[in-house]
Amino acid sequence: MEFSQSDFDRLLLSEHNRKTAEANYAKDPLDADNLTRWGEALLELSQFESVSDSKKIINEAISKFEEALAKGDFDKASECFQRAVDEEPTNELYQKSLEVSTKAPELHMELHKHGINQQTLGGGSSASSAQSSKKKSSDLKYDIFGWAILAVGIVAWVGMANSRIPPPPAR
C-alpha cells in the first residue's frame, strides 16, 4: 500500500496522538476528553490498515468512546447523589450512595482493564473474540443505562419523599 505525503503525515500525526493519549491515560484513566482523543486517533489509524486489522482498531476505538461516555454518566450520578445528601444530610442511604458513586468510575476502570487483559491473553478464535466483544459492548451499555436509571430513580424517590413530609404545625 503506497501513501501520498499527506497520507503519511496523517499517519504520523495520528500515531503521535494515539501514543500521547495512551500516556495520558496512564496518568488519568478517568479523563473523558483524553479517551475521546484516543478513540479519534484510532479511527484515523484504522484507515491505513488491512480490513481485518482495521476492524480490530475500530472496535478498540469504540471501546474508548464507550468508556468516555460511562465517565459522564458516573459524574451525573454523583451529582444526583450529592443533591440528595444536600437535601437530607442525615440520611445514611444517601451518604452511602454518594460514597459508592464516587468510587464507581475507578471500579469500572478496573473491571474494564481486567476484561481487556483477559481478551488479549485469552487468544481464542476470531469468532469467539468477536462474540465476546459484542457481549462486552452490550454489557457496558447495560451498565451505563443501569447507573442512569438508578440515579433517576433515587432523585425521583427523594423528590417524592420531600413532597410527602407534612409541614410543621402552625403555632
Side-chain angles (χ1 to χ4, degrees):
M1 180 181 286
E2 290 196 28
F3 299 123
S4 68
Q5 184 62 40
S6 65
D7 286 344
F8 186 69
D9 291 344
R10 276 182 38 217
L11 176 65
L12 289 177
L13 180 63
S14 298
E15 182 60 24
H16 173 74
N17 290 343
R18 183 196 64 80
K19 286 182 179 180
T20 302
E22 191 172 356
N24 289 340
Y25 180 79
K27 296 174 190 170
D28 184 8
L30 302 177
D31 184 356
D33 291 331
N34 184 58
L35 286 164
T36 302
R37 285 189 298 274
W38 194 355
E40 290 169 353
L42 288 169
L43 284 178
E44 188 72 25
L45 288 170
S46 71
Q47 297 176 17
F48 298 102
E49 298 295 329
S50 66
V51 173
S52 62
D53 289 340
S54 180
K55 286 180 182 178
K56 291 176 188 174
I57 294 171
I58 289 171
N59 284 333
E60 187 177 349
I62 290 169
S63 171
K64 302 303 176 204
F65 292 137
E66 288 175 339
E67 196 172 336
L69 286 172
K71 167 70 172 101
D73 287 338
F74 289 132
D75 289 344
K76 288 178 187 174
S78 292
E79 289 173 17
C80 292
F81 291 132
Q82 183 62 56
R83 282 189 290 193
V85 169
D86 291 345
E87 290 288 324
E88 197 174 329
T90 59
N91 189 314
E92 291 180 22
L93 177 62
Y94 297 163
Q95 293 172 353
K96 186 67 174 172
S97 296
L98 177 62
E99 180 185 334
V100 170
S101 73
T102 56
K103 293 178 183 178
E106 289 86 9
L107 294 172
H108 179 263
M109 299 306 299
E110 284 297 315
L111 290 173
H112 190 69
K113 284 179 184 177
H114 289 297
I116 288 175
N117 288 342
Q118 288 177 352
Q119 184 177 3
T120 56
L121 295 176
S125 69
S126 62
S128 67
S129 176
Q131 190 176 26
S132 174
S133 175
K134 287 180 184 175
K135 183 182 182 318
K136 287 180 184 174
S137 174
S138 176
D139 288 349
L140 178 63
K141 289 176 187 169
Y142 284 114
D143 287 346
I144 292 169
F145 288 127
W147 279 103
I149 290 170
L150 177 64
V152 169
I154 289 177
V155 170
W157 181 51
V158 169
M160 289 188 326
N162 285 339
S163 68
R164 291 185 186 175
I165 297 173
R171 292 185 183 183

